[in-house]
Amino acid sequence: MGCCSGRCTLAFICGMQLISILERQIFDFLGYQWAPILTNFVHIITVILGLFGTVQFRPRYYAVWLVLWVTWNIFIICFYLEVGDLSKDTDLIMTFNISMHRSWWMENGPGCKVTPVTPPPSWAPEDHRYISIAGCALEYQYVEVAHSSVQIVLALAGFIYACYVVKLISEEEDSFDFIGGFDSYGYQGPQKTSHLQLQPMYM
């Protein structure tokens, strides 16, 4: 009963992870954030495999990936909060230096007003527009931090329940003797007894 309850809870957490990461993936695509896009894709595949692993009593690899996923999201939080030498304006980390795009929330955050700047500065690329952003009710870096925080909470919950399910499965496997079944002394089939009495024949 406990194993079934743990598996159902873990499957629910996997479903919540899929919904939240698909939402995040959409906005990362809109912002051309290639590093998060690739990492999100790996996470989506792993969560799907983890969901099937939960059904088939094998969520171990899913639990291992969640540790890496938490580490990545902690890095994202540190990146947008500019912890240490990290800078959210670095193009190499999020876009692989392919483009000058930033988070989609930078221009489309709640209350943000985008104003084109003319004429653009001389250093601005010709195929990019130079804009001014003001009036944001919530800065884009805090939106990204909130997204990563949600992922960390879900990942920690998934990790705890994955370990719980693995523990229950291991206990069930240990209590089952693959040679003798559930009987630790071995299975003994029913013995046939004969009710016929042999009588000597006299010629």
Side-chain angles (χ1 to χ4, degrees), residues 10-85:
L10 183 56
F12 174 76
I13 294 174
C14 288
M16 293 297 296
Q17 283 185 317
L18 277 178
I19 294 173
S20 63
I21 197 59
L22 286 173
E23 177 266 341
R24 185 179 183 179
Q25 183 77 315
I26 291 172
F27 292 113
D28 284 340
F29 262 116
L30 293 174
Y32 300 96
Q33 304 292 291
W34 299 115
I37 287 171
L38 293 176
T39 311
N40 294 342
F41 179 76
V42 174
H43 183 59
I44 291 170
I45 298 300
T46 306
V47 170
I48 293 174
L49 294 177
L51 187 59
F52 283 106
T54 301
V55 175
Q56 298 176 359
F57 303 95
R58 291 294 182 272
R60 291 182 178 86
Y61 299 110
Y62 166 73
V64 173
W65 164 254
L66 288 181
V67 176
L68 301 176
W69 180 243
V70 168
T71 304
W72 166 255
N73 281 280
I74 291 175
F75 168 76
I76 293 294
I77 292 175
C78 294
F79 174 79
Y80 280 108
L81 295 180
E82 297 186 325
V83 176
D85 295 331

Side-chain angles (χ1 to χ4, degrees), residues 139-159:
E139 296 292 335
Y140 75 96
Q141 62 265 30
Y142 300 118
V143 177
E144 295 289 354
V145 167
H147 273 96
S148 292
S149 300
V150 170
Q151 294 301 319
I152 290 175
V153 171
L154 290 174
L156 290 177
F159 179 80

Side-chain angles (χ1 to χ4, degrees), residues 1 61 67 78 106 125 135 160 173 177:
M1 182 67 180
Y61 299 110
V67 176
C78 294
M106 184 177 185
I160 292 172
E173 289 178 348
D177 184 4

